[in-house]
Amino acid sequence: FDDMHKEPAGVFTLRGERTCPHFLHYRCAVEIQESSRGGAHCPVCRRKFDSVLQIPNIQDDPAAWFKAVDLSGDNSLNE
């Protein structure tokens, strides 16, 4: 397991919406997606996903970062 801050993070999405609260290294999330047969699932909670979203750098694009990490889509950050 590598430190999360050392490379880009990614989250799983389904039809453009976050599917679960888990963050992974982007490269690991893509590997999971590419190696999945019969449907991709989060390795932590097993929720289905169809895409991986790379979390933007907060300093480069704060609005895109917030949108990516706002799990509930209610314009607030929860647990």
Side-chain angles (χ1 to χ4, degrees):
F1 295 94
D2 296 325
D3 294 329
M4 284 297 297
H5 71 277
K6 291 186 178 180
E7 56 185 284
V11 293
F12 298 126
T13 63
L14 182 64
R15 294 183 293 278
E17 300 292 325
R18 292 267 311 269
T19 59
C20 67
H22 303 108
F23 291 83
L24 290 85
H25 287 119
Y26 178 72
R27 67 173 169 78
C28 296
V30 170
E31 286 177 17
I32 291 167
Q33 181 183 25
E34 291 174 350
S35 67
S36 296
R37 291 179 225 152
H41 296 85
C42 172
V44 180
C45 66
R46 306 299 301 156
R47 289 193 183 140
K48 188 174 181 167
F49 70 92
D50 62 12
S51 186
V52 178
L53 172 68
Q54 184 171 338
I55 302 297
N57 183 304
I58 191 171
Q59 294 176 342
D60 296 338
D61 193 344
W65 176 88
F66 188 86
K67 184 177 179 183
V69 300
D70 180 14
L71 178 62
S72 63
D74 64 358
N75 294 319
S76 67
L77 296 181
N78 306 326
E79 296 178 39

